[in-house]
Amino acid sequence: MRIEIPREVERFGPIMFHDVQKVYELDAGLRFAKNEGQENSTIVRLSQESINGIEEKMVIVVPVMEERIKLIEGVLCGIPNDCLTIVVSNSPREPIDRFYIEKDAIEHAARFMNKDILVFHQKDPLLAKACQASGYKYILDKQNSVMDGKAEGMILGTMLANLTGRKYIGFIDSDNFFPGAVLEYVKEYCAGFCLAKSRYSMVRISWHSKPKIVQSNLFFAKRGRASEHTNRILNSLISTYTGYGTEIIKTGNAGEHAMSMDLAAKLDFSSGYSIEPYHYINMLERFGGISGNPEKDVLKNRIELFQIESRNPHLHEVKGDIHVQDMSRAAMEVIYRSPICPESLKEEILDDLYNRKLLKSGEKLPETLSYYPAICNADLKKFAKTLENHEYAKFFKASTIKKVKNETPGLIREKIEGNVEHLPDQDKVLEMK
Ligand code: GDP
Ligand code: CO
């Protein structure tokens, strides 16, 4: 791959937000050459070997809920063979067992691909038992079953991925129409990790365009409907603390993202579709230095965030206006409810929701989301032990199963909440720079 270096870098405490990077060539050739990682001062060349070196250490988690089998098969065929694929499904099991059909179809396809794919249902009682054994009961409902939602599925996927001992985890939605786009996203995740210097890193895809039919012609829209608003508010939040206006964040709602496992284990989750913008919020809450001291190891190593602009158009299943509105409201709620969100920004969020008629004028923002602590709060050894005689276990690497060290266990937002009267405390943030 040939990719430009980021033009701008916004620093926030130990977090480095890199600007969107453009890809000049999807495949820049074989051979780990002398100029690997550096072509000239602004373009980086990454050989196929370097990209593949990351693929071998990566798990790709594919969340599924009631998608068409053909669509899922296309997505799986786009994932490079060296990645370990984990499909987490929440498709209904009654009256027709859709999950059974999915699992059967995926495992059949996997034989032809000769690919390692673990397929499981989010509500497998065994996983709920493993969660309980590990002390991670947060995603269980009163019946002790794992709750519905994309984030809840992603949490299980992250725990299982962690147990495989692989270093990176990437997420790819199962409703993508273009296998070529899926392949590209994974290569771009790898490119980001090739460039990262820190063990705490994240790569988010900023898709180049989204095709739509307008007056019988194809029109390539630049941004999604919800993203524009989420990005603006996230940028406003950063500006409040740094004192400088910024447009650095362009991937607030990116479903396609990947993380180093070290970072993935330390981030808290929020429920349903709010999880993607919450990554930004939680990184700022936990590591931004606004309140409390971030972990020493993170301070030393820093966190690097990459945003890479993909070349393939992004085309996924159309799920209607109501779905987009719910997602956008959830994104706004997760920013609004953060203890680090200043009053002025809360007003801006409400105005935005009133203007878009996502909230009735004067109405308060209802609290619809739940928060779950980072998976480093789970005893993964006990989680693995519960699954030891089942199909999951063949993907685990015993030597790597250990409790992740966490200097601030529990939900970070609860710890900050009592402390908010001091915010915004710009000096503290600037001091850390
Ligand atoms: P959008 O692409 O962000 O508009 O949202 P989608 O509705 O397409 O969802 C993104 C991905 O998450 C798709 O692959 C869905 O099939 C999947 N998904 C949605 N809800 C759930 C859920 O409750 N559990 C799991 N495991 N996957 C889900
Ligand atoms: Co989708």
Side-chain angles (χ1 to χ4, degrees):
M1 184 169 292
R2 245 186 205 92
I3 184 168
E4 68 178 356
I5 60 163
R7 270 158 214 269
E8 305 282 339
V9 184
E10 191 83 56
R11 291 182 175 82
F12 197 106
I15 312 170
M16 294 172 78
F17 294 112
H18 296 286
D19 205 351
V20 168
Q21 287 166 262
K22 187 170 163 175
V23 172
Y24 282 89
E25 203 174 28
L26 288 172
D27 185 343
L30 211 54
R31 270 202 312 280
F32 193 88
K34 259 199 222 140
N35 61 355
E36 183 71 13
Q38 197 180 9
E39 175 108 328
N40 56 47
S41 60
T42 52
I43 304 284
V44 175
R45 173 187 180 269
L46 299 167
S47 66
Q48 286 176 28
E49 288 102 322
S50 301
I51 302 272
N52 183 252
I54 305 276
E55 283 167 1
E56 287 177 333
K57 298 186 192 122
M58 189 179 280
V59 175
I60 296 292
V61 174
V62 182
V64 175
M65 195 168 82
E66 290 188 83
E67 303 295 354
R68 285 180 279 173
I69 302 284
K70 288 263 185 296
L71 219 46
I72 306 174
E73 268 182 24
V75 167
L76 296 176
C77 115
I79 299 173
N81 192 277
D82 284 323
C83 298
L84 173 63
T85 306
I86 295 184
V87 177
V88 47
S89 169
N90 194 24
S91 297
R93 308 210 63 171
E94 281 173 14
I96 298 172
D97 193 346
R98 276 199 59 106
F99 172 67
Y100 179 82
I101 302 171
E102 274 167 10
K103 190 168 161 73
D104 192 56
I106 294 170
E107 285 174 351
H108 188 70
R111 281 163 67 180
F112 287 88
M113 297 177 201
N114 197 13
K115 201 191 251 356
D116 282 331
I117 305 184
L118 169 65
V119 189
F120 69 90
H121 197 273
Q122 188 162 331
K123 293 186 185 285
D124 179 350
L126 193 64
L127 288 170
K129 222 169 123 190
C131 285
Q132 246 174 346
S134 71
Y136 197 92
K137 296 175 194 154
Y138 317 99
I139 53 169
L140 305 179
D141 61 15
K142 288 198 182 85
Q143 283 75 43
N144 273 332
S145 164
V146 172
M147 288 185 271
D148 291 324
K150 184 184 174 196
E152 289 75 356
M154 285 165 64
I155 293 176
L156 289 176
T158 309
M159 289 194 191
L160 292 168
N162 198 303
L163 290 171
T164 66
R166 293 197 173 212
K167 273 184 75 178
Y168 304 100
I169 178 168
F171 295 91
I172 300 272
D173 285 352
S174 56
D175 63 340
N176 198 313
F177 282 102
F178 297 149
V182 171
L183 178 69
E184 183 189 352
Y185 297 155
V186 178
K187 302 272 173 203
E188 281 152 1
Y189 294 162
C190 296
F193 294 124
C194 285
L195 300 176
K197 294 185 186 74
S198 168
R199 45 192 278 230
Y200 303 108
S201 46
M202 184 187 282
V203 184
R204 298 169 80 96
I205 302 295
S206 163
W207 34 259
H208 177 261
S209 64
K210 208 168 188 174
K212 286 178 185 166
I213 309 269
V214 179
Q215 293 175 341
S216 321
N217 280 318
L218 261 186
F219 173 73
F220 292 89
K222 191 77 188 154
R223 298 261 173 262
R225 284 174 289 175
S227 314
E228 206 180 295
H229 299 273
T230 313
N231 293 339
R232 186 168 50 79
I233 299 291
L234 284 171
N235 283 320
S236 285
L237 178 66
I238 292 188
S239 311
T240 320
Y241 289 100
T242 59
Y244 287 90
T246 181
E247 290 183 359
I248 198 85
I249 296 181
K250 300 192 176 74
T251 55
N253 284 334
E256 265 64 42
H257 66 276
M259 281 178 266
S260 63
M261 204 62 89
D262 286 331
L263 180 61
K266 283 182 191 288
L267 287 185
D268 298 334
F269 291 81
S270 63
S271 56
Y273 289 108
S274 63
I275 174 66
E276 280 93 15
Y278 190 57
H279 283 315
Y280 278 108
I281 296 293
N282 191 241
M283 264 196 277
L284 295 171
E285 287 175 350
R286 198 177 265 283
F287 305 113
I290 299 166
S291 179
N293 289 320
E295 290 182 33
K296 286 190 202 76
D297 194 48
V298 174
L299 269 182
K300 203 171 85 195
N301 283 287
R302 300 196 290 198
I303 297 178
E304 287 182 273
L305 183 124
F306 296 91
Q307 307 180 89
I308 300 184
E309 187 175 78
S310 57
R311 285 283 177 166
N312 277 280
H314 185 77
L315 188 63
H316 65 149
E317 193 80 280
V318 177
K319 290 182 179 147
D321 287 347
I322 303 288
H323 169 72
V324 177
Q325 286 171 5
D326 285 349
M327 203 156 59
S328 192
R329 207 175 5 233
M332 291 298 168
E333 184 185 334
V334 93
I335 308 173
Y336 185 95
R337 282 178 61 191
S338 169
I340 64 165
C341 181
E343 283 306 319
S344 55
L345 191 61
K346 286 189 180 174
E347 279 167 28
E348 204 179 320
I349 293 173
L350 288 179
D351 283 344
D352 180 83
L353 291 170
Y354 297 149
N355 285 341
R356 287 194 285 151
K357 305 210 167 24
L358 295 184
L359 210 58
K360 284 200 197 98
S361 185
E363 197 185 343
K364 279 194 178 150
L365 188 58
E367 296 197 354
T368 60
L369 308 172
S370 320
Y371 296 89
Y372 311 115
I375 65 153
C376 56
N377 289 275
D379 185 337
L380 291 178
K381 257 188 174 166
K382 290 187 177 153
F383 188 93
K385 180 98 183 122
T386 314
L387 306 176
E388 75 184 343
N389 295 320
H390 299 271
E391 60 168 338
Y392 300 97
K394 71 169 187 261
F395 297 96
F396 298 166
K397 196 168 166 205
S399 59
T400 58
I401 302 176
K402 57 179 191 292
K403 199 168 180 344
V404 189
K405 194 166 151 250
N406 186 17
E407 289 173 36
T408 41
L411 265 182
I412 189 72
R413 65 188 311 281
E414 282 172 4
K415 293 186 171 57
I416 306 173
E417 216 121 35
N419 214 356
V420 281
E421 68 270 24
H422 305 301
L423 303 176
D425 187 353
Q426 279 188 26
D427 288 348
K428 217 167 170 185
V429 180
L430 297 177
E431 228 171 68
M432 292 182 54
K433 284 180 130 190

